Amino acid sequence: MGVKLNLIVAVSENMGIGKNGDLPWRLRNEMAHFSRLTTKTNDPSKKNVVLMGRLTWDSIPAKFKPLPNRINFVLTKSNLDFSSYENAHKFDSLQSAIDALESDKYKALVENVWVIGGASVYKEALLSKYFYRLYLTKVQKSFDCDTFFPSLPENLKEISEANVPTEQQEEKGITYSYHVYENISEAV
Ligand SMILES: NC(=O)c1ccc[n+]([C@@H]2O[C@H](COP(=O)([O-])OP(=O)(O)OC[C@H]3O[C@@H](n4cnc5c(N)ncnc54)[C@H](OP(=O)(O)O)[C@@H]3O)[C@@H](O)[C@H]2O)c1
């Protein structure tokens, strides 16, 4: 089977995802949900890939970089040097990252691929034939943001997923809820 991209994102009421290179909010349990889902594999001998743009990579504090227990793929056209990282690799296009995922090496190693942002990477992934599911946290509040999630394609169906709680969540007086959408267009 070919590569399937799972997108995961937390979005405010005004469709914001970032501010000044960081998240607009600090929601520890939401972050833990992100870490749990992107790390979890059914096969313990496999790992997941987290695929991100260079600014999202830059936003990760040095002590958490690369994101642990996941293979980090970073899209950049820069000549940044990733050779010191054992678990982080750079690619100069989404297609070159997909080509790597389709190689025998990664096919044997990788269970799920998670696209973790930011805006342009989400957009390219949503429009691609590889887009499979969108794991969307709806934060029920507006925030001052400078980075926004792209508009959703139409061919989505909300599904329930055993790993994703359906109850309303609350932290620091901010309510939010988890949703999973599947791409029902024929490309996947
Ligand atoms: N709320 C959430 O769930 C969430 C998730 C992720 C990120 N964020 C936030 O979003 C912001 C960062 O996102 P962003 O949209 O500004 O930036 P981004 O998408 O993370 O990074 C953009 C950079 O990625 C590289 N890139 C993107 N597409 C590429 C492609 N097809 N081929 C090669 N390189 C490519 C380029 O790097 P070069 O310039 O190096 O070539 C580009 O400048 C931060 O505020 C972050 O905290 C929020």
Side-chain angles (χ1 to χ4, degrees), residues 122-138:
Y122 286 135
K123 184 169 183 186
E124 193 176 353
L126 277 173
L127 294 173
S128 81
K129 64 180 179 184
Y130 305 102
F131 165 45
Y132 177 51
R133 283 183 178 171
L134 170 64
Y135 288 68
L136 177 67
T137 301
K138 293 184 183 173

Side-chain angles (χ1 to χ4, degrees), residues 10 17 21-22 54-56 75-77 92 116 118-119 122 124:
I17 63 166
D22 203 350
R54 196 258 308 163
L55 294 172
T56 296
L75 298 186
T76 178
K77 294 199 189 292
D92 65 3
I116 64 164
Y122 286 135
E124 193 176 353

